[in-house]
Amino acid sequence: MGFRGRLSYGYDKKYVAELTFNEMGSDLYAKGHKWGFFPAAAIGWVASNEDFLKDNETVTFLKLRASAGYTGNATVVGSQRYAYTQNYKYTESYYKGTNNAQAASMMEDSVADPDRTWEKELKTNIGVEATLWNKLGVSLDAFLNKRSQILVSPAGEVP
């Protein structure tokens, strides 16, 4: 389940701003961790609409922009869908007694993680868009993405 919202603002065809949010819910997490909130913000400046560039014949369009925001990931990691619950699994049978009777056994599966929560990624972007001589479009972007609370499965077994 999720909720999304966006608020956009523009002023004088020069300045733009936008705020967005995404509130997502997942049954993969324990109570208190089911919901993740992921906001984002962006700003832009259309410099070519300013008086000092308005009638420039070389730079016919110039926009500077920047944005930053979070995204969330609720992927199932490993074999256990509900990692906050402790599960047990059957293992190989073993023989006991003198009459070779088989007995089934159980063992603990992946250890429960009731504090597991959303994987997050902060995405940032700075960009420039330009049109030169009313013919040549140019776009330049720089990105930086930083993940946190990465969901992984342990490798091997810990006694």
Side-chain angles (χ1 to χ4, degrees), residues 5 11 15 30 42 57 59 98-99 109 113 123 126-128 144:
Y11 178 74
Y15 312 103
E57 293 179 16
V59 179
T98 56
N99 60 358
D109 202 352
D113 183 3
K123 295 178 173 266
I126 297 174
V128 177
L144 177 63

Side-chain angles (χ1 to χ4, degrees), residues 43-48 53 59 61-67 125-132 136-143:
I43 57 171
W45 175 42
V46 183
S48 55
L53 273 179
V59 179
F61 178 77
L62 178 62
K63 180 179 182 180
L64 306 172
R65 53 186 165 69
S67 63
N125 170 244
I126 297 174
V128 177
E129 297 173 36
T131 304
L132 307 175
L136 177 64
V138 178
S139 180
L140 177 66
D141 285 278
F143 296 94

Side-chain angles (χ1 to χ4, degrees), residues 53-148:
L53 273 179
K54 202 168 212 162
D55 297 321
N56 190 303
E57 293 179 16
T58 303
V59 179
T60 53
F61 178 77
L62 178 62
K63 180 179 182 180
L64 306 172
R65 53 186 165 69
S67 63
Y70 284 95
T71 60
N73 180 14
T75 303
V76 175
V77 175
S79 62
Q80 193 172 346
R81 178 172 172 84
Y82 301 108
Y84 59 89
T85 62
Q86 184 60 57
N87 294 321
Y88 298 87
K89 62 184 177 182
Y90 286 102
T91 63
E92 294 182 25
S93 298
Y94 62 92
Y95 295 98
K96 70 176 194 169
T98 56
N99 60 358
N100 287 332
Q102 283 190 329
S105 62
M106 293 183 74
M107 68 179 277
E108 188 176 59
D109 202 352
S110 299
V111 177
D113 183 3
D115 295 322
R116 182 178 284 195
T117 188
W118 293 82
E119 179 177 292
K120 294 179 181 162
E121 184 172 13
L122 175 61
K123 295 178 173 266
T124 54
N125 170 244
I126 297 174
V128 177
E129 297 173 36
T131 304
L132 307 175
W133 305 287
N134 223 10
K135 295 179 182 178
L136 177 64
V138 178
S139 180
L140 177 66
D141 285 278
F143 296 94
L144 177 63
N145 297 338
K146 185 174 181 181
R147 288 187 180 178
S148 61

